[in-house]
Amino acid sequence: MRGKKGKAQKLKEEKLALTRRDFLRGASVAVSGGMLVGSGALATARPTPGTEILGPGEVPITLKINGALHKLSVEPRVTLLDALRNNLDITGSKRVCDRGTCGACTMIMDGKAVYSCSLLAIEAQGHEITTIESLSHAGHLHPVMAAFVENDAQQCGFCTPGFMMACKAFLDKHPHPKLEDVEEGLSGNICRCGTYHGLRQAALDAAKTAKA
Ligand code: FES
Ligand code: FES
């Protein structure tokens, strides 16, 4: 009995190993294809007929940011975050991890919080992008921004713009949150200075102000 079980387990492991090998082989072709786009060197990485090839040089794009249209030229590989910071001088959103884990670069796209370091600028065309710059006008602060100030919800400040945008996107959809809702709603952002108590309270206060 034990012998049969052992054989079955071995077969299962061999199958899994094969699946992993196949996956890695496939992935390496896909990665190589990405690196060689435009060179024509990789015969197996042909695009689907009808697919438009852009780049690797700069292409003209138009982005709608905080209600205004901006025309710029970027290579297709450029992220939304870098396009705003480097091409348009809109620098409120911060680049920290640059790999979609910390949330410092959070912007709102069509009402949803997104990591702008993990989104290509070219893909953001035709969408409504909202950045931290939209939360204050002529000295008037949005309730989220005012609540962060009131609760001293920042230290170094690197995570703060991302947290404020995540907070706004969350409160727009959940106007009457409890503390546990806020904890979950802001769980995609990290504060290395540990200001979680202040910023969660800021979210609750901003919700109350908006209600009032
Ligand atoms: S900089 Fe984008 S998630 Fe960290
Ligand atoms: S205030 Fe420093 S990382 Fe959040």
Side-chain angles (χ1 to χ4, degrees):
M1 196 65 183
R2 192 172 285 176
K4 260 190 189 173
K5 244 189 182 175
K7 203 173 168 190
Q9 179 64 23
K10 200 170 170 225
L11 275 173
K12 200 174 161 192
E13 281 167 6
E14 277 171 4
K15 199 173 169 200
L16 275 176
L18 186 66
T19 311
R20 272 189 223 113
R21 266 202 303 278
D22 288 347
F23 170 75
L24 289 171
R25 194 178 296 132
S28 70
V29 169
V31 170
S32 304
M35 288 167 70
L36 294 171
V37 165
S39 71
L42 192 66
T44 52
R46 293 218 171 100
T48 317
T51 305
E52 191 186 2
I53 304 291
L54 297 171
E58 291 188 353
V59 292
I61 64 168
T62 304
L63 295 175
K64 191 170 184 190
I65 302 155
N66 301 327
L69 290 175
H70 296 264
K71 290 184 183 299
L72 61 157
S73 281
V74 291
E75 292 177 14
R77 66 180 177 85
V78 171
T79 64
L80 178 61
L81 177 67
D82 284 348
L84 264 64
R85 290 184 59 84
N86 301 336
N87 295 61
L88 299 175
D89 212 20
I90 300 175
T91 57
S93 307
K94 302 301 177 218
R95 192 180 198 247
V96 177
C97 71
D98 203 26
R99 58 184 61 196
T101 57
C102 75
C105 63
T106 304
M107 296 178 190
I108 297 177
M109 187 164 88
D110 297 338
K112 285 188 186 148
V114 294
Y115 294 147
S116 61
C117 70
S118 302
L119 186 73
L120 296 176
I122 204 166
E123 292 177 304
Q125 292 186 98
H127 297 280
E128 298 273 346
I129 310 294
T130 311
T131 70
I132 186 72
E133 282 80 2
S134 71
L135 295 197
S136 70
H137 292 286
H140 177 76
L141 304 186
H142 184 280
V144 167
M145 208 171 238
F148 268 66
V149 174
E150 275 306 307
N151 285 279
D152 203 12
Q154 65 277 313
Q155 280 185 36
C156 76
F158 263 88
C159 72
T160 311
F163 258 112
M164 285 183 182
M165 295 314 286
C167 189
K168 181 179 185 311
F170 170 72
L171 292 179
D172 286 347
K173 292 216 163 62
H174 305 89
H176 312 293
K178 296 195 187 86
L179 178 60
E180 50 270 33
D181 303 327
V182 171
E183 283 171 4
E184 195 183 326
L186 301 185
S187 60
N189 291 57
I190 292 171
C191 174
R192 289 168 177 82
C193 299
T195 62
Y196 293 105
H197 176 76
L199 55 88
R200 284 169 189 157
Q201 191 55 50
L204 292 171
D205 287 0
K208 274 189 215 144
T209 312
K211 224 185 297 176

